[in-house]
Amino acid sequence: GKHRIVIPCLGHFKEEYEKVSKLYMNNKIRTTKYTLLNFLPRNLFEQFHRVANLYFLFLVVLNWVPLVEAFQKEITMLPLIVVLTIIAVKDGLEDYSKYKMDKQINNLLTKVYSR
């Protein structure tokens, strides 16, 4: 049959525990979508999957062509930037609340049955 090795994280077993525990995944809960490093690129990637944002981006790019320029370039970019900023702030706040809940759940005390 299969055997399971249990190494306590105490005293003289600590080095062996750290060596063996690197081989396995931890059991922490992570429901967040973003990290600090990937927030901006991933959020922009998700936002530009929406047709409305692509439409406004198309208008901005089209307005940079001198032949088609209808408004000032900066004014055309303003609605897109405002919408992207508001959605990014909303997504960031939601993800931060998920992070706080994950941290709270991962730090709960647990009871271990032992004879």
Side-chain angles (χ1 to χ4, degrees):
K2 294 183 179 181
H3 296 287
R4 186 174 77 154
I5 299 172
V6 177
I7 301 171
C9 184
L10 302 171
H12 59 278
F13 292 112
K14 188 167 183 140
E15 293 173 12
E16 189 175 355
Y17 171 79
E18 289 174 358
K19 188 186 335 175
V20 172
S21 66
K22 290 178 185 176
L23 302 174
Y24 301 102
M25 296 289 295
N26 61 22
N27 63 349
K28 288 186 178 181
I29 294 173
R30 183 174 179 264
T31 58
T32 56
K33 191 186 306 184
Y34 307 108
T35 64
L36 286 176
L37 295 176
N38 74 359
F39 176 75
L40 190 61
R42 189 166 184 183
N43 188 268
L44 288 174
F45 178 76
E46 288 179 8
Q47 287 193 45
F48 282 116
H49 272 80
R50 297 182 180 132
V51 177
N53 291 344
L54 284 174
Y55 172 75
F56 283 111
L57 180 65
F58 173 72
L59 289 179
V60 168
V61 170
L62 194 62
N63 204 33
W64 281 84
V65 177
L67 206 60
V68 186
E69 184 177 348
F71 308 106
Q72 290 181 341
K73 297 171 187 158
E74 295 81 16
I75 292 176
T76 310
M77 291 172 36
L78 193 62
L80 180 65
I81 291 173
V82 167
V83 168
L84 292 178
T85 303
I86 290 172
I87 294 173
V89 168
K90 178 190 71 80
D91 289 346
L93 290 174
E94 286 176 357
D95 212 54
Y96 182 68
S97 67
K98 288 180 185 179
Y99 166 76
K100 287 194 314 187
M101 285 299 295
D102 292 347
K103 192 173 179 182
Q104 183 181 8
I105 290 171
N106 287 329
N107 290 326
L108 286 175
L109 291 177
T110 58
K111 294 181 180 180
V112 177
Y113 175 74
S114 177
R115 291 187 213 172

